Amino acid sequence: MAHSPHTSPSPRVIRAPARLSGRIRVPGDKSISHRSLMLSALAVGESRIEGLLEGEDVLATAAAMRAMGATIARGDDAVWRVQGVGVGGLLQPAQALDMGNSGTSTRLLMGLVASHAVSATFVGDASLSGRPMGRVITPLARMGADITSSPGGRLPLTVRGLVPSVPIDYELPVASAQVKSAVLLAALNTPGITRVIEPVPTRDHSERMLAGFGARLTVEQGPRGRVIALEGEAELRPQSITVPGDPSSAAFWMVAASVVPGSDVVIENVGLNPTRAGLVTALRMMGADIAELAPRTVGGEPVADLRVRHAALSGIEVPPDLAPSMIDEYPVLFVAAAFAAGATVARGAEELRVKESDRIAAMRVALEANGVTTVEHEDGLTVHGNGGDKIAGGATVATQLDHRIAMSMTIAALHARDSITLDDASPVATSYPAFYQQLAELSGETA
């Protein structure tokens, strides 16, 4: 199996703790972290970012924006300061932009480059180089960018931007916040009005943050869905941003506290944007005990501390319309389902097949190897739960260079009779460097 060039495989054995208790703060939201760096780099003046997720994916975005002229530095106070170049001011990067494992960085930066007078080559690790970029290439080519890719619309690929680029009306053929965001970022330096029509709503961090930076943007409901219109040649104003905690990272602790008997965990500062909070809804439908403490608004985003206590879960049919608001949480939802009473049917998530791994197949194989009965569908899984007993465990899981598979199966191991071994836990660093340290704290152990 190919491994990331940055790390050699790092196997890890996970054993079940007695219970989980304590308070933790999860890393900053990954989606918001990427966008805050990009938009700060396009503003004129200095922006400050607190709570930035300092995982490998976000650092790849920071490195790319530096390569195109922005000054980005992390202070001793953990505040990141960005001196932007202004919309239209991106410089020609001296070498290829290494995206590592980050699909978000790649797709969004392709949009940025498409309307600037620069040419950028994007490269990535083995996993990212296998992921299709065609859905972004299509609209950006319509705006005038010249894009040459490896076979199948894959990396390495080169984007040669066009100035002035061409405003378009683009109806998303598949629900994707990354494609929407790529088009909106290209629209920033495009004269006229570019519209994205979104038949199914996806996470709206780009719209919220673009408006916060001063872009002229409207969101209206039309006959075919949400219409996001952005007036180009924007002037972005620098901002002070506090990044809320990532709901996709909080998801692992929500499920862990729900399934490990005796657990009582508070997860601080979790972003609860409704376009991202589907897992909270689904877990509550299953009977999870999740309380929102101190709800507040931070930088236009709803935030609360979540207290999660062990609860008996029941299998449900997950409403397919929740899928866009929890697409990254399906792997750990499958884990919750393994400990529920009865079957959980989780479908409407074909998008999972083109993530860092084929997450549907990877989770089926991992769960079944550890004693969980599942049925694989084209667009999800049916998981037959055991009513809250420990699963068998005992197997080695192939994490497939995918951080969410690694973390999800870590959570499964927390209520297993025999320890579960991950063949490689190193991908966790892409999104959650402190994950295992925090697990040790909640377990009352030392890492």
Side-chain angles (χ1 to χ4, degrees), residues 355-359 399-407 427:
K355 292 286 187 176
E356 282 83 339
S357 66
D358 176 342
R359 287 180 173 162
T399 61
Q400 304 198 21
L401 290 179
D402 190 330
H403 56 128
R404 296 205 199 278
I405 303 298
M407 288 186 279

Side-chain angles (χ1 to χ4, degrees), residues 93-315:
Q95 60 244 0
L97 302 176
D98 185 353
M99 299 287 99
N101 187 234
S102 180
T104 305
S105 304
T106 309
R107 294 186 177 109
L108 270 57
L109 289 168
M110 286 170 64
L112 271 191
V113 169
S115 61
H116 280 75
V118 299
S119 170
T121 298
F122 294 86
V123 298
D125 70 7
S127 160
L128 182 62
S129 299
R131 295 168 70 183
M133 298 294 157
R135 58 175 64 172
V136 182
I137 293 171
T138 300
L140 296 180
R142 276 185 51 194
M143 297 179 79
D146 176 20
I147 302 173
T148 51
S149 70
S150 300
R154 289 173 163 79
L155 269 53
L157 63 74
T158 300
V159 179
R160 292 171 197 80
L162 176 69
V163 177
S165 46
V166 183
I168 60 171
D169 286 6
Y170 190 68
E171 182 165 345
L172 292 176
V174 58
S176 169
Q178 292 180 358
V179 177
K180 167 177 69 175
S181 299
V183 175
L184 292 174
L185 289 169
L188 282 172
N189 199 42
T190 301
I193 295 178
T194 297
R195 293 179 186 85
V196 179
I197 298 111
E198 190 175 47
V200 178
T202 63
R203 56 184 65 177
D204 64 354
H205 304 301
S206 292
E207 296 96 297
R208 287 175 186 247
M209 195 175 287
L210 282 162
F213 271 85
R216 295 184 296 276
L217 175 136
T218 60
V219 181
E220 293 171 352
Q221 197 60 37
R224 301 204 306 276
R226 290 172 80 225
V227 181
I228 303 119
L230 189 145
E231 190 176 337
E233 300 184 299
E235 289 183 27
L236 302 186
R237 297 184 294 274
Q239 302 294 311
S240 285
I241 297 168
T242 301
V243 179
D246 193 329
S248 299
S249 297
F252 299 105
W253 308 122
M254 286 187 237
V255 172
S258 295
V259 303
V260 177
S263 295
D264 185 350
V265 172
V266 175
I267 316 160
E268 298 176 349
N269 192 47
V270 181
L272 291 176
N273 182 310
T275 65
R276 295 287 301 286
L279 183 73
V280 177
T281 304
L283 288 175
R284 283 176 171 156
M285 288 174 67
M286 297 171 77
D289 179 354
I290 303 173
E292 294 174 28
L293 312 178
R296 53 206 184 266
T297 300
V298 179
E301 297 273 351
V303 171
D305 303 334
L306 299 181
R307 183 182 185 188
V308 188
R309 286 174 279 196
H310 172 253
L313 303 182
S314 301

